[in-house]
Coordinates of all heavy atoms in Angstrom, one line a residue:
I212 N -14.8 -3.7 14.1 CA -16.0 -3.7 15.1 C -16.7 -2.3 15.0 O -16.0 -1.3 14.9 CB -15.5 -4.1 16.5 CG1 -16.7 -4.2 17.5 CG2 -14.6 -3.1 17.0 CD1 -16.5 -4.7 18.8
M213 N -18.0 -2.3 15.2 CA -18.7 -1.1 15.3 C -19.1 -1.0 16.8 O -19.9 -1.9 17.2 CB -19.9 -1.2 14.4 CG -20.6 0.2 14.2 SD -19.9 1.1 12.9 CE -20.6 0.4 11.5
L214 N -18.5 0.0 17.5 CA -18.8 0.1 18.8 C -19.9 1.3 18.9 O -19.8 2.3 18.4 CB -17.6 0.6 19.7 CG -16.5 -0.5 19.9 CD1 -15.3 0.2 20.6 CD2 -17.1 -1.5 20.8
T215 N -20.9 1.1 19.8 CA -21.9 2.1 20.1 C -22.0 2.2 21.5 O -21.3 1.5 22.2 CB -23.3 1.7 19.5 OG1 -23.7 0.4 20.2 CG2 -23.3 1.3 18.1
K216 N -22.7 3.2 22.0 CA -22.8 3.5 23.4 C -23.3 2.3 24.2 O -22.9 2.1 25.4 CB -23.6 4.7 23.7 CG -22.9 6.0 23.3 CD -23.5 7.2 23.7 CE -22.6 8.3 23.4 NZ -23.2 9.7 23.5
S217 N -24.1 1.4 23.6 CA -24.6 0.2 24.3 C -23.5 -0.7 24.6 O -23.6 -1.5 25.6 CB -25.7 -0.5 23.5 OG -25.1 -1.0 22.4
N218 N -22.4 -0.8 23.9 CA -21.3 -1.6 24.2 C -20.6 -1.3 25.6 O -19.9 -2.1 26.1 CB -20.2 -1.5 23.1 CG -20.6 -2.1 21.9 OD1 -21.0 -1.6 20.9 ND2 -20.7 -3.4 21.9
F219 N -20.8 0.0 26.0 CA -20.1 0.4 27.2 C -21.0 0.4 28.4 O -20.5 0.8 29.5 CB -19.5 1.9 27.1 CG -18.7 2.0 25.8 CD1 -19.0 2.7 24.7 CD2 -17.4 1.4 25.6 CE1 -18.3 2.8 23.5 CE2 -16.7 1.4 24.6 CZ -17.1 2.1 23.5
V220 N -22.2 -0.2 28.3 CA -23.0 -0.3 29.5 C -22.8 -1.7 30.1 O -22.9 -2.7 29.4 CB -24.5 -0.2 29.0 CG1 -25.4 -0.4 30.2 CG2 -24.8 1.1 28.5
I221 N -22.5 -1.7 31.4 CA -22.3 -3.0 32.1 C -23.6 -3.3 32.9 O -23.8 -2.7 33.9 CB -21.0 -3.0 33.0 CG1 -19.8 -2.5 32.1 CG2 -20.8 -4.2 33.6 CD1 -18.6 -2.3 33.0
G222 N -24.3 -4.2 32.4 CA -25.6 -4.5 33.1 C -25.4 -5.3 34.4 O -24.4 -5.8 34.6
K223 N -26.4 -5.2 35.2 CA -26.4 -5.8 36.6 C -26.9 -7.2 36.5 O -27.0 -7.9 37.5 CB -27.2 -5.0 37.6 CG -26.5 -3.8 38.0 CD -27.0 -3.2 39.3 CE -26.3 -2.1 39.8 NZ -26.6 -1.7 41.2
S224 N -27.3 -7.6 35.3 CA -28.0 -9.0 35.3 C -27.0 -10.1 34.9 O -27.4 -11.3 34.7 CB -29.0 -8.9 34.1 OG -28.4 -8.6 32.8

Side-chain angles (χ1 to χ4, degrees):
I212 184 175
M213 192 84 82
L214 291 173
T215 63
K216 286 189 174 167
S217 66
N218 287 105
F219 304 111
V220 176
I221 304 177
K223 282 198 174 190
S224 61

